[in-house]
Amino acid sequence: MIKGLGISTVWVLDQDRAKEFYTEKLGLELRADMTLGEGGMRWLTVGAKDQPELQLTLMVPGGAVMDEESAQAVRTLVAKGMLGAGSLTTDDIHGDCAKFKARGVEFVQEPQERPYGTEAVFRDDSGHWFSFTQPRAGGLDVDQDWGCAAND
């Protein structure tokens, strides 16, 4: 029986830069930073302090996990910012956005009201975009005309 999501991979272009971005700029905690076996791959994971059951593994495309042609294709997509890496949540969108900006995080969308909450969008140091959201109290707002197909 599946109990939940434990690890999700974020493909990065440079693990040292990614480690700095995710821990120092976003404030996630370092969970693991080790080499698996002699000459093996680097296993680098981070996670939110209050969510110990979920980790993001920051992986460089290539090595034992994929052939070089596929690795180059993934690196190209990452560098172009074509892979959305997910949604991170907060309980203080405006305060956290200000804190992250002061640490050098690039926001491509300022906080805006959405049916699901207040959302901003930022990019990591590899080019991934993240939805950064403060969920709406009471859940999804379907009563307002948000101009999306769900309300038609």
Side-chain angles (χ1 to χ4, degrees):
M1 175 67 86
I2 295 175
K3 300 283 185 182
L5 181 63
I7 298 174
S8 183
T9 299
V10 177
W11 297 109
V12 300
L13 301 178
D14 180 298
Q15 284 179 304
D16 289 325
R17 277 192 1 240
K19 178 181 175 180
E20 178 183 343
F21 181 87
Y22 285 87
T23 60
E24 295 179 20
K25 293 186 178 183
L26 296 185
L28 296 178
E29 63 182 19
L30 181 64
R31 300 280 175 78
D33 188 357
M34 60 191 219
T35 301
L36 300 178
E38 187 176 327
M41 73 174 192
R42 183 176 178 188
W43 183 251
L44 175 60
T45 65
V46 297
K49 175 183 66 161
D50 295 333
Q51 194 177 22
E53 70 280 3
L54 180 61
Q55 299 181 73
L56 299 177
T57 180
L58 307 175
M59 298 285 293
V60 174
V65 297
M66 68 180 68
D67 63 83
E68 184 50 36
E69 181 182 354
S70 298
Q72 184 55 49
V74 171
R75 285 191 295 268
T76 299
L77 290 171
V78 168
K80 286 182 171 184
M82 300 306 297
L83 301 177
S87 179
L88 301 174
T89 59
T90 180
D91 58 3
D92 181 12
I93 188 83
H94 296 286
D96 285 342
C97 283
K99 179 173 40 177
F100 291 170
K101 283 181 188 179
R103 294 178 185 166
V105 175
E106 172 195 351
F107 279 83
V108 295
Q109 176 193 293
E110 293 298 318
Q112 295 181 12
E113 293 301 313
R114 303 284 188 224
Y116 42 84
T118 307
E119 176 190 53
V121 177
F122 69 84
R123 289 195 183 279
D124 74 1
D125 66 308
S126 290
H128 295 292
W129 60 267
F130 280 86
S131 167
F132 188 49
T133 304
Q134 181 173 339
R136 178 176 306 288
L140 188 63
D141 179 0
V142 295
D143 295 327
Q144 184 172 329
D145 181 8
W146 293 95
C148 56
N151 291 328
D152 292 342

